Amino acid sequence: MTAWLNTIAQGVLVGGLYAMFAAGLSLIFGVMKLVNIAHGDLIVLAAYVALMVTDALGLNPILSLIVVVPVMATVGYLLQRGLLNRALGEDILPPLLVTFGLSVILQNGLLQLFSADSRRLQAGGLDVASVKLAEGLSLGVLPLLQFALAVLVIAGLHWLFYHTRLGRAFRAVSDDPRVAQLMGLDNRHVFGLAMALSLAIVAVAGVFLAVRTNFDPATGPARLIFGFEAVIIGGLSSLWGTLVGGILLGVVQAIGAEIDPGWQVLAGHVAFLAVLAIRPQGLLGGARR
Amino acid sequence: MPEPPLLGVAALDAHYGDFQALFGVSLTLSRGEVAAVIGANGAGKSTLLNAIAGLIRSRHDAILFEGEPIGDLPANRIVGRGIALVPEGRRLFPSLNVEENLLIGGQIGRPGRWNLGRIYELFPVLAERRRQASTSLSGGQQQMVAIGRALMSNPALLLCDEISLGLAPIIVRDIYATLRQIVGAGTAAVVVEQDIGQALAIADRVYCLQEGRVALEGRAGEVTRADISAAYFGV
Amino acid sequence: MSGGVTRATRASNIGLVLALACLVALAFAPFWAGRDGMRLLIDAYLYLVLASLWNLLAGYAGLVSVGQQAFVGLGGYVLFGLAALAGVPPLLCIPIAGIAAAIIAIPVAAITFRLRGAYFAIGSWVMAEVFRLVASQISALGGGSGISLPAGIVTAMAASRHGREILVYWVALGLMVAILGGIVALLRSRHGLALTALRDNEMAARSNGIDVRRTKLVVFILVAAGTAMAGALIFLQRLRISPDAGFSVNDWTAFVIFITVIGGIGRFEGPFVGVVVFFVLRETLADLGSLYLMILGAIAILVMLKAPRGLFGFIAERTDTQLLPLQRRVRGV
């Protein structure tokens, strides 16, 4: 019994990571209807940036966030202004294919720079520390920290979207980009800020990914898929839905892995397909939009 | 040196792809004046307003505002110069509530007499509904939000695109009464209408468009209904 | 001269004659191309088939899938399963793979069609991942490490290696002609008109009474069948399949998308141009390894942004040519 409790608890905590993957993806789709196929590869890019920063500065990976987050946010803004804004329009094909091409470029660029070897960040003792909740049930400090941060990120995004000028601008541009210009909003700049924010979240997710698991240049697409599954399971237009979707995905994967290690990812896919078949609007997806 | 007119449109052409919607349209407006632009459906009235507001780019010097060419500026920079458009069909932001719709109108921070408090004085019913979704309001109330949203940018020139569309006559009367208050306080306006009566009553000058060209122009008191019918229908 | 609608132009008639002449020359390739040449041609045929099918799916029906590797791998596994486990002759397995894929495509569409536009793309990718993971769970087919075609089956096809290669070559050529011919026939049929309308404007097509969902479903099923047959042949040539090779997103989707986009999406001729460009680049730059893939990705992005109708579209818009009589045009009265 406690073994299962343990499995579920681990799954919930991993779900926080998936929720962060999902939140960045969902934010971009919400603001500019862009599905960023390179999202997973950008997460892996953030992991490599963290690797370089920790190597160069000798920082603890968690502290490296101070550098990685602004670096990735800048990458996001420049990427949007320099490339992605040009692909946006009525037709869904250009943004899709441009981000797909970007994904291939990122994967192979990382391969070129860092080889195909698996890497991992050491968090100096933090990665083995744990809190014992009951007999047979103990949770790692790092996963707990990561989950808390995920909740914080999503709460922060929610606050930003509904209580700040920038959030108001995001919603206005999403509703009606043409009329938004009449309010003095420069859509290209607003989109740039949205992508910067998305990649700031990606940076946090990437650092935790790097500390918790091995990564290599080819691991991006799977992160994209997990984030995407969390978005759909949780419900397209709901920020808190991404957290619910991430947690559910994490738990289902953990249970699948407990039954047979080969079923971990497959179980998540099956859960995703089941949600799609039975409740395509997602668990928290309501009537809005 | 005489002060330049507030707005000077000179030989403006406008295109949608291959389709030309305006042919050499010219229009002049002084500070505090109201121009009515009338014409049949498809005559190019909305296109003219969209071009002035910057939603359609045109030639650099086709549009002068306060003596400066703004024809090739994007819409988001024109609003900062002091031109605000109340778009056809109101086009409120559905995921913003009433107050947020107003606030976003003022977010460029242009100084002037209009602020949230003044808008609520002008339209008290909006103050009661400030937290409601803009989509839950009646058509007339939505039009008030759209006008208020444009005023929040403290424009020197207000462009109104068919603000009577789809509204009951009594509501239209109220809206126009309010508009009279607004222009009375010194704001110039270009009013596009199919409802000629309302437009003529408020306007100093009248422009009648027909198939993208100015078919008639004159002082509101001087043009007759017969002139307008002739220009309107091209007979 | 009376007015009317015609598809043929002078250039397209010349194109047709040239295409036939090429075909005859290609049929005799085993006698002039040499072994490496033949292998290259087989590769080109199969990529042309995959790209033309993806073009039909994404360029015409608007179903931008990044999960077509599901059907490439499925075709390969059907062939290996039937041939290695049930003793069915490998060549017979190819059409069976097509039928199996068509049947499986129905439930796949039922689920993935619930996702719109760009989300459909990722949904189709998830589906392909499900196929890959399921394949790696089937221990009879080698699980995660894959399976080779037993030597007995290989020699039963043709005694010598050379004979087998010629056989595979002709089958590949035949499959290409059949599938491209099928696409031409489809585009020239009543359904083709619906598809072209769909490509140009989905909303307008819908309001003109075209059953958009049904049209998309039919295209999805047909493309799945064609893709699986190509997949079966690809792995018959390789004699070995594994989940990672069969369901590779790079080999069966990234390259195919790049070929189509670079050549010209939404035009039948596009993939032809794309395949030529792709193989020229591959033969000259493949030594660069991952750098080559970066260049390919960058070219695809550049084409998408600067010439969204691809190289063929770019040329055709300026010269008003079409290589095959496919486009309907109004003849002067």
Side-chain angles (χ1 to χ4, degrees), chain C residues 37-216:
Chain C
M38 241 161 58
R39 190 165 290 173
L40 192 68
L41 284 172
I42 294 175
D43 258 13
Y45 298 162
L46 292 171
Y47 266 116
L48 182 57
V49 165
L50 291 177
S52 296
L53 290 167
W54 189 81
N55 188 29
L56 188 64
L57 193 64
Y60 285 85
L63 292 165
V64 188
S65 165
V66 288
Q68 287 308 97
Q69 67 272 22
F71 296 107
V72 174
L74 177 68
Y77 268 102
V78 167
L79 182 130
F80 275 63
L82 290 177
L85 304 181
V88 180
L91 292 183
L92 184 62
C93 294
I94 294 175
I96 297 176
I99 293 165
I103 293 167
I104 290 176
I106 295 169
V108 167
I111 294 180
T112 52
F113 276 26
R114 287 166 174 259
L115 294 164
R116 301 247 158 264
Y119 273 161
F120 169 82
I122 310 185
S124 66
W125 196 351
V126 174
M127 201 52 103
E129 283 297 291
V130 170
F131 279 39
R132 183 177 67 84
L133 292 168
V134 168
S136 58
Q137 291 293 316
I138 305 175
S139 48
L141 291 170
S145 52
I147 182 175
S148 295
L149 211 53
I153 295 170
V154 176
T155 47
M157 276 170 60
S160 73
R161 185 171 165 187
H162 185 58
R164 201 173 62 240
E165 280 172 354
I166 293 176
L167 184 64
V168 169
Y169 175 86
W170 275 330
V171 173
L173 182 65
L175 187 69
M176 176 187 76
V177 171
I179 287 181
L180 294 186
I183 292 175
V184 171
L186 181 71
L187 289 180
R188 293 184 66 146
S189 72
R190 200 166 45 83
H191 300 291
L193 204 59
L195 268 175
T196 311
L198 198 59
R199 173 193 71 178
D200 292 341
N201 188 337
E202 181 164 335
M203 292 293 274
R206 206 183 289 272
S207 61
N208 277 306
I210 291 169
D211 188 341
V212 170
R213 197 186 154 81
R214 193 187 156 81
T215 308
K216 288 185 171 195

Side-chain angles (χ1 to χ4, degrees), chain A residues 177-189:
Chain A
R178 196 169 149 85
V179 174
Q181 295 176 58
L182 295 172
M183 309 296 124
L185 294 171
D186 180 353
N187 294 351
R188 294 163 307 169
H189 178 64

Side-chain angles (χ1 to χ4, degrees), chain A residues 25-26 29 33-37 82-83 86-87 91-112 221 224-225 228-229 231-232 236 260-263 265-266 269-270 272-273 275-280, chain C residues 54 58-59 62 64-66 111-112 114-127 129-134 137 249-250 253-255 257-258 261 265 288-301 304-306 308-309:
Chain A
L25 199 62
S26 172
F29 185 76
K33 308 286 171 286
L34 174 90
V35 171
N36 181 5
I37 294 202
L83 183 68
R86 291 162 212 269
D91 194 355
I92 64 152
L93 206 59
L96 206 58
L97 296 183
V98 167
T99 55
F100 189 73
L102 188 65
S103 156
V104 170
I105 293 176
L106 279 173
Q107 277 177 47
N108 288 285
L110 291 173
L111 194 63
Q112 191 85 17
L224 163 72
I225 286 176
F228 168 72
E229 288 177 336
V231 170
I232 300 289
L236 262 182
D260 179 334
W263 292 357
V265 175
L266 190 57
H269 292 339
V270 170
F272 158 76
L273 294 178
V275 168
L276 208 50
I278 297 162
R279 196 179 156 80
Chain C
W54 189 81
V64 188
S65 165
V66 288
I111 294 180
T112 52
R114 287 166 174 259
L115 294 164
R116 301 247 158 264
Y119 273 161
F120 169 82
I122 310 185
S124 66
W125 196 351
V126 174
M127 201 52 103
E129 283 297 291
V130 170
F131 279 39
R132 183 177 67 84
L133 292 168
V134 168
Q137 291 293 316
V249 64
N250 258 334
T253 291
F255 289 162
I257 289 180
F258 290 160
V261 168
I265 191 164
L288 296 175
S290 50
L291 205 57
Y292 156 65
L293 292 171
M294 293 173 75
I295 293 171
L296 203 59
I299 293 176
I301 289 177
M304 198 71 239
L305 294 180
K306 296 291 169 198
R309 292 285 147 221

Side-chain angles (χ1 to χ4, degrees), chain A residues 210-224:
Chain A
V211 179
R212 296 209 51 190
T213 56
N214 292 329
F215 62 95
D216 65 68
T219 46
R223 311 307 124 187
L224 163 72

Side-chain angles (χ1 to χ4, degrees), chain A residues 41-80:
Chain A
D41 306 293
L42 288 161
I43 293 169
V44 175
L45 174 69
Y48 277 102
V49 173
L51 185 74
M52 285 193 289
V53 169
T54 50
D55 278 358
L57 304 178
L59 281 178
N60 181 292
I62 308 300
L63 285 179
S64 78
L65 282 171
I66 299 165
V67 181
V68 182
V69 169
V71 165
M72 288 305 291
T74 310
V75 167
Y77 186 83
L78 296 177
L79 189 65
Q80 186 68 37

Side-chain angles (χ1 to χ4, degrees), chain B residues 12-57:
Chain B
L12 172 70
D13 292 343
H15 301 261
Y16 293 107
D18 290 338
F19 172 73
Q20 185 164 359
L22 293 180
F23 300 83
V25 169
S26 297
L27 178 153
T28 312
L29 195 68
S30 301
R31 228 163 251 287
E33 250 189 345
V34 178
V37 176
I38 56 180
N41 252 334
K45 308 185 298 292
S46 290
T47 309
L48 176 62
L49 290 196
N50 288 342
I52 299 171
L55 288 174
I56 302 169
R57 302 278 188 100

Side-chain angles (χ1 to χ4, degrees), chain A residues 161-190 288-289, chain B residues 16 50 53-56 74-77 79 83-85 87 90-97 100-101 103-108 149:
Chain A
F161 250 75
Y162 294 99
H163 299 282
T164 68
R165 268 170 74 106
L166 182 61
R168 204 163 61 206
F170 282 159
R171 284 181 289 147
V173 167
S174 166
D175 280 346
D176 194 335
R178 196 169 149 85
V179 174
Q181 295 176 58
L182 295 172
M183 309 296 124
L185 294 171
D186 180 353
N187 294 351
R188 294 163 307 169
H189 178 64
V190 175
R288 261 195 61 211
R289 260 186 278 184
Chain B
Y16 293 107
N50 288 342
L55 288 174
I56 302 169
N76 58 301
R77 293 190 44 203
V79 61
I83 300 180
L85 172 66
R90 310 187 265 275
R91 304 276 288 266
L92 300 182
F93 298 110
S95 53
L96 272 57
N97 66 28
E100 287 174 323
N101 263 289
L103 285 172
I104 201 162
Q107 84 162 14
I108 53 160
R149 183 178 67 178

